Structure formats: C-alpha cells, structure tokens
Amino acid sequence: MTTTRRDFIKKTAAVAASIMMSPLPVWARNSLSLGELQIDTLHDGHLVLPGDFILGPMPQEELLPILQRYHLSRKSLSPECNMTLIRDGERTILFDVGSGSGFQPTAGKGLEALEALDLEPDDVTHVVFTHAHPDHLWGLLDDFDDPMFPNATHMIGKTEWDYWMDPNTVNTIDASRTAFAVGAQRRLEVIEDAITFFKDDEEILPGIASRATFGHTPGHMSFEVRSGTDSVMIVGDAIGNHHVAFERPQWQSGSDQDMEIAAKARTMLLDRIATEKMQLIGFHLPNGGLGRAEKTPDGYRFIEEGAS
C-alpha cells in the first residue's frame, strides 16, 4: 500500500502521542451557538514576545499602573493564540491557521486543537485569513511544504495579498520583520493558483462579512458573523491584547505596522462592539479569546465569556 506524505505525518503524530506520559491537552477553549452556526475557539499555544514589541511606543509612566493592574511584566509578554472555527452543517470554516512548526516552539498546536473536536485538516472546507503574520499564516503548509488543508478554499483580502506578494515588500518592510515577508511569500505562493480574494464590507460566506481594520498590517481584516440580531466580531489582531489595547486603544502599539492607522481602527472597532453589545473573539485575548468590550470612563474593559 502506498504511503502518502499526509499519512506519514499522521502516523508520526500518532506515535508521538502514544509515548507521552499523559493525555493530549484539550486545546479547544470556547464554544457558542449563533443561530445555526457552531463557533469554537481553538488554542494554538502562545507566543513569547519582548515587551518593547508592543509596549515600546507607549507613554511609559501612564503604562506602568496598567501593567501592574494586570500583573504583567514590562520585559516580556506571552499572549495566547486562538483560531476560530465555524461550522454550519455544510461548511467547516477556519479563521487563520496558526503558527505551524516554524515560528515559536510554544505555538503551533492547531492540529491538536482540531483533534480535540474530532476533526482533521481534510475536514476544513474554507480557510479565511485576517492577515499574513507568521502566527496566523505559517501553519498553512505541512512539514513537506504541501497545503495543510488540501480540501479547503483559501480566502484573503486583496489588499493584504497584494502587500505580501509584492516583491518590494521584502526590501521595504522594517528589517526586524524581513522574515515575516519572506515567510509569507513562500507560503502564499503555494496556493497562488487557488486563492479567493475579497474586499471590505463584502459577504464572503453566508452570514460572514469582511470589515476592514487596516493598520496592524496594510490589509488586516476583521469579520462580522451574524445570525438575525445576534452577532460576533472576529477581530484578529485589530485588538491585540486584553490590557492596553482595551484600556487605551488610542495608544500606538509597536506590534502594528502602521501604528497611527491601527490605533484609529482599534478605537472605532471597540466603540462599535461596545455600543452594539456584540461579542468578540480575539486571536491574542486570554482563555480562548471570547468576550465583550465594556465602556469605561477612560477606555474599555475586556469581559471574558465562556472559558472552559
């Protein structure tokens, strides 16, 4: 019997799991129903980032009490990573694909997350990208550089695609992010002939509409998922953490490529979410990323919901 590359990966993973001293952790974190839609957040591990990557441009004296309130270190931050999975009985839609094995050793747990829901990569019918940073994109390919989700239609905003596929991006992006550009181009080239593009304010799939939240990357997209009067906003990295991004959304964050545009997008997004009392799912928000935004005198507060 012929063994395919995907069979080899599955068998390797099974052997590794069989020799572990304890069961695989349950990586599926949150679950909710929205009309006929089943929505789950899938834990892809966490990142380890130098504090300056996010906090560097911020007013340091005003920042300190916020960090103390959340028991955070100024030197290092460890945001978790949460993919979103939506099932409607016909489609299995994955928003972002995680880090894969090539970014940070603390991340790239997406396959375990799918396994926790009794799913395999072959079951995913659609992959939708918020943007093309490594922790959202590099899980696109398997260890043989084949598409990890071979049966899926892959979808990305046209502005985001054009930016990362532009040959000049590698030379013009900040030097600290050159690897981001090289890695994005290498992976996106594999699906270049099978990608579907969308623009802002477009229903990309039934009940799912794109919402431009540019700034974190040039073409970053959030997604409004709606069923009747109920809705959830998948915010990607437009709201990148549960502390300063909420408390002071107008502050510029070092994680954003265009800090000024990103701050405006973040402020407008939080205002809408809080005003309309929408639920939100954030890729780097804690305990699965599901919650709400509550208005405060000086900004907003993240209210967690449904953590398992």
Side-chain angles (χ1 to χ4, degrees):
M1 185 174 70
T2 302
T3 299
T4 66
R5 292 179 173 184
R6 191 162 298 280
D7 290 335
F8 176 81
I9 292 172
K10 289 180 181 177
K11 290 177 181 178
T12 302
V15 170
S18 70
I19 64 175
M20 292 178 67
M21 298 300 294
S22 59
L24 282 172
V26 179
W27 293 106
R29 300 299 296 271
N30 280 322
S31 180
L32 70 148
S33 297
L34 192 74
E36 299 299 316
L37 303 178
Q38 173 65 34
I39 304 177
D40 297 279
T41 66
L42 309 180
H43 190 54
D44 193 51
H46 69 275
L47 305 180
V48 179
L49 303 173
D52 275 347
F53 183 76
I54 294 173
L55 307 174
M58 298 178 182
Q60 298 300 303
E61 289 187 8
E62 297 177 58
L63 171 66
L64 183 58
I66 297 176
L67 297 181
Q68 291 174 337
R69 187 154 53 247
Y70 289 87
H71 309 289
L72 297 170
S73 167
R74 174 64 181 78
K75 295 181 180 180
S76 178
L77 297 170
S78 299
E80 67 175 71
C81 303
N82 304 295
M83 302 178 295
T84 300
L85 185 81
I86 296 180
R87 289 172 284 180
D88 64 4
E90 179 181 351
R91 288 165 284 266
T92 298
I93 307 160
L94 184 64
F95 290 81
D96 295 328
V97 294
S99 297
S101 60
F103 187 47
Q104 290 194 6
T106 54
K109 313 299 182 183
L111 295 185
E112 290 96 323
L114 283 172
E115 183 181 343
L117 295 179
D118 294 324
L119 294 172
E120 296 185 357
D122 291 359
D123 297 321
V124 176
T125 62
H126 296 79
V127 169
V128 181
F129 293 105
T130 61
H131 64 297
H133 275 171
D135 50 329
H136 299 254
L137 175 74
W138 284 16
L140 177 64
L141 306 181
D142 64 22
D143 290 340
F144 295 96
D145 284 348
D146 290 329
M148 181 62 76
F149 305 95
N151 300 327
T153 298
H154 293 75
M155 309 178 74
I156 194 170
K158 187 63 165 57
T159 301
E160 186 75 356
W161 173 273
D162 288 346
Y163 174 74
W164 293 106
M165 294 302 287
D166 184 343
N168 292 322
T169 295
V170 173
N171 299 318
T172 57
I173 198 170
D174 186 273
S176 64
R177 302 181 187 223
T178 300
F180 291 14
V182 173
Q185 287 185 14
R186 183 173 75 80
R187 289 162 176 83
L188 292 175
E189 283 173 350
V190 175
I191 59 169
E192 187 168 9
D193 295 330
I195 193 76
T196 298
F197 302 117
F198 55 84
K199 297 180 180 180
D200 178 33
D201 202 24
E202 183 177 327
E203 187 176 50
I204 65 168
L205 290 165
I208 302 173
S210 56
R211 300 289 183 245
T213 45
F214 297 170
H216 181 70
T217 60
H220 185 285
M221 286 284 185
S222 299
F223 300 93
E224 183 176 352
V225 184
R226 183 168 291 276
S227 178
T229 59
D230 297 324
S231 59
V232 175
M233 188 74 77
I234 299 171
V235 303
D237 282 6
I239 306 172
N241 59 71
H242 66 293
H243 36 89
V244 289
F246 279 82
E247 293 218 7
R248 300 293 185 273
Q250 72 276 16
W251 284 359
Q252 295 188 3
S253 170
S255 63
D256 297 326
Q257 287 183 234
D258 190 316
M259 292 184 282
E260 183 177 355
I261 292 176
K264 291 179 180 177
R266 183 165 51 249
T267 301
M268 292 184 355
L269 186 61
L270 278 167
D271 180 68
R272 182 182 177 197
I273 290 170
T275 300
E276 298 185 16
K277 302 185 185 306
M278 300 173 67
Q279 290 180 294
L280 66 95
I281 300 172
F283 193 88
H284 292 302
L285 301 184
N287 295 319
L290 175 65
R292 296 181 185 271
E294 180 182 82
K295 190 74 177 73
T296 68
D298 299 319
Y300 301 86
R301 185 165 68 97
F302 177 57
I303 309 297
E304 292 182 21
E305 293 186 352
S308 60

